[in-house]
DNA sequence: ACTATTTATTACCCATGGGTAATATACGGG
DNA sequence: CCCGTATATTACCCATGGGTAATAAATAGT
């Protein structure tokens, strides 16, 4: 397993009907973990909120203490995935190297992300299931991701590390291939996420690299070991989910687990 | 536009409530055209049979004269796409050339197919919406498609036209990129399907080609002008839809438009 | 302990949409 | 001209599942 993508803690904080009392955010995230798993396993429309609740040893209405509706749960799953991508891009952009180097770094990171649940939610969920407002948020974010790929390619062409090509189409080709990982990769298979990621990074960038990198150049440098603090604190409230109104009741747990992002609260009261 | 993928005849054979009377198969196909469009536009679950019917100037129960249920319509949409893919593979395999040549030919054809409605249905629809039986059919067919890519790559390695690599992962990379076309391509955009196909064919195979093919080698040979008879007759009853039982009432139109494949009939009576 | 607040439960509502039954309208052949 | 068949239509049924109301159990603060 990888340190950057923690093993997703598959157990429910709700013990079958006993001493319950744990941090709210922890429960919220447990709901999301159960939801993303079910949505991936069964598909968003086949997975019911009863299913989600059952997997957590609670009942459906309890979910509404944390979320306003099914589509918001979907959005928040997507949103976590998006934050992870954004970290990949930020790390890559912060580092040094040619355009090609950065393209490769991003490719490795992105590929590996696609082997995780929240990564998959970026490409397996249907935007049309979201509310108008959230859909726009997602679309904007997706464009930003696409931009990162294109920018690296373009800068690679500029600095001579990448063959001249249409950055738009090249980005589509690479990102498409990576996105597809989210459709076929199964954690239990013969390939590990890491292996797939590294292979794809080479395979996909070799076609446009000016110097064919046969032996691995991006091997050990893949995980920079930085930005790997224990709990990667989600920065800011990216894609906040407050549906229409900006009302954000912070009624409780003002200091809820130091640096834990304050995501949109469930149900207004 | 392309000759191999006819302009999909978007009009309904049901005039708003008037002189109706046309061949049954024509109507069946009109249903599928309307359905695939709606399923792609709105997604399978959001598109209702009422929507499909309305677009054809009929009402929902009329659809049940041609199909046994919504999931069968979905399957048949998929099935048409699959037949088109199979033709691509058959044509490619029949032709001559190195493994790389064949890989490129298939890539071009497949890419272009991904810009059409029935092509998209291969990658945009969720297998889990199908009946158990149909799902297995589709899964088998998908494996066959994957096999074609792998085989071409493997034979390319064997004949020296392709660099040594893992055929499985290379096929995933290429096919993934192509499949993704079905998610982003919009017919009205700046790129034509043909342009995308040719660009992708080069971009995707360059990485594993032993001789970097800068200038186009697969340009005009893309459309072999053969196998382009007026109405491409669907061969055989691939993936026949008779749900569980093998009962296939051929009660009528024994000679229904010469060579028109006899697909599964709607509703048994 | 008592009370306010949070968080869960049980029991319900009801819109949606796939599917069906009964029936009407057209066509085609004798 | 009438009847059988194919093909529509109208009017339903009803399972599903998201969402809500009323209420009960747990917790924290004083």
């Amino acid at each position: 397993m990888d340190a950057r993508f923690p093993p997703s803690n598959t157990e429910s904080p709700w013990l079958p009907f006993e001493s319950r009392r744990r941090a709210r955010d922890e429960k919220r995230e447990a709901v999301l973990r159960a939801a993303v798993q079910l949505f991936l396993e069964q598909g968003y429309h086949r997975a019911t909120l009863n299913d989600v609740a059952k997997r957590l040893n609670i009942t459906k209405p309890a979910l509404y203490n944390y979320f306003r509706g099914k589509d918001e749960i979907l959005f928040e799953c997507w949103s976590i995935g998006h934050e992870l991508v954004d970290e990949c891009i930020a790390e890559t952009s912060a580092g040094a190297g040619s355009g090609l180097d950065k393209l490769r770094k991003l490719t490795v990171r992105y590929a590996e992300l696609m082997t995780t649940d929240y990564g998959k939610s970026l490409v397996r969920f249907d935007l049309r299931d979201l509310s108008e407002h959230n859909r726009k948020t997602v679309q904007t974010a997706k464009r930003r991701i696409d931009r990162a790929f294109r920018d690296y390619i373009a800068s690679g062409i500029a600095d001579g590390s990448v063959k001249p090509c249409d950055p738009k189409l090249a980005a589509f080709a690479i990102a498409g291939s990576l996105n597809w990982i989210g459709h076929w990769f199964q954690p239990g298979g013969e390939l590990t996420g890491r292996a797939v990621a590294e292979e794809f990074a080479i395979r996909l960038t070799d076609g446009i690299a000016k110097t064919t990198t046969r032996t691995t150049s991006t091997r050990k440098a893949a995980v920079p070991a930085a930005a790997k603090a224990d709990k990667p604190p989600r920065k800011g409230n990216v894609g906040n989910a407050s549906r229409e109104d900006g009302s954000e009741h912070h009624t409780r747990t003002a200091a809820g687990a130091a640096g834990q992002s304050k995501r949109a609260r469930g149900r207004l009261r």
Side-chain angles (χ1 to χ4, degrees), chain A:
Chain A
M1 266 300 147
D2 190 315
R4 277 180 305 157
F5 308 123
S8 68
N9 198 2
T10 189
E11 50 193 319
S12 167
W14 289 274
L15 307 180
F17 193 77
E18 288 149 29
S19 95
R20 301 169 164 179
R21 179 90 307 209
R22 283 173 89 170
R24 178 181 176 81
D25 286 358
E26 222 167 312
K27 293 189 189 165
R28 238 186 99 91
E29 291 186 16
V31 172
L32 293 177
R33 277 198 308 273
V36 75
Q37 280 174 12
L38 267 164
F39 291 170
L40 289 174
E41 280 172 27
Q42 322 222 14
Y44 178 70
H45 288 100
R46 268 170 303 279
T48 73
L49 290 186
N50 278 322
D51 293 336
V52 175
K54 194 171 294 171
R55 187 167 288 200
L56 294 164
N57 301 318
I58 56 177
T59 56
K60 176 176 61 172
L63 298 174
Y64 285 82
N65 279 316
Y66 305 96
F67 302 94
R68 297 166 118 178
K70 196 185 185 189
D71 65 311
E72 186 178 283
I73 296 179
L74 184 71
F75 173 74
E76 301 254 357
C77 289
W78 190 93
S79 200
I80 291 179
H82 171 61
E83 289 172 13
L84 294 172
V85 161
D86 255 7
E87 285 170 18
C88 293
I89 294 175
E91 284 176 25
T92 306
S93 284
S98 66
L100 179 62
D101 287 337
K102 289 188 175 177
L103 178 62
R104 282 195 169 127
K105 278 182 192 167
L106 179 57
T107 299
V108 175
R109 287 171 164 78
Y110 191 88
E112 198 172 2
L113 183 59
M114 279 304 134
T115 66
T116 71
D117 281 355
Y118 288 121
K120 288 177 183 174
S121 54
L122 291 171
V123 297
R124 296 259 298 263
F125 295 158
D126 193 334
L127 295 205
R128 292 166 295 196
D129 289 316
L130 299 174
S131 68
E132 182 72 17
H133 176 259
N134 286 344
R135 180 164 53 246
K136 284 196 182 130
T137 302
V138 171
Q139 277 165 339
T140 304
K142 282 201 165 175
R143 267 193 294 276
R144 246 195 352 261
I145 296 171
D146 184 46
R147 267 288 294 275
F149 279 98
R150 290 193 205 185
D151 286 351
Y152 293 156
I153 293 170
S155 81
I157 295 173
D159 67 26
S161 59
V162 170
K163 284 194 245 178
C165 64
D166 179 6
K168 179 179 170 180
L169 278 181
F172 270 150
I174 292 174
S177 196
L178 297 175
N179 287 337
W180 202 248
I181 294 174
H183 277 88
W184 58 262
F185 184 84
Q186 297 273 6
E190 35 192 330
L191 286 315
T192 77
R194 172 67 60 91
V196 170
E198 299 200 346
E199 182 66 21
F200 267 58
I202 296 171
R203 183 77 49 233
L204 292 175
T205 56
D206 243 29
I208 60 173
K210 212 156 224 170
T211 69
T212 298
T213 321
R214 202 53 253 157
T215 40
T216 65
S217 71
T218 49
R219 234 331 110 90
K220 274 288 170 271
V223 178
K228 207 196 81 162
D230 258 345
K231 272 191 181 179
R234 311 238 165 66
K235 54 176 108 68
N237 45 0
V238 178
N240 195 301
S242 57
R243 214 172 262 232
E244 213 78 44
D245 46 353
S247 62
E248 280 280 312
H249 302 202
H250 292 257
T251 34
R252 164 199 27 207
T253 64
Q260 201 69 339
S261 88
K262 46 188 189 322
R263 281 179 161 275
R265 298 280 322 295
R267 184 69 146 299
L268 308 183
R269 305 213 160 196

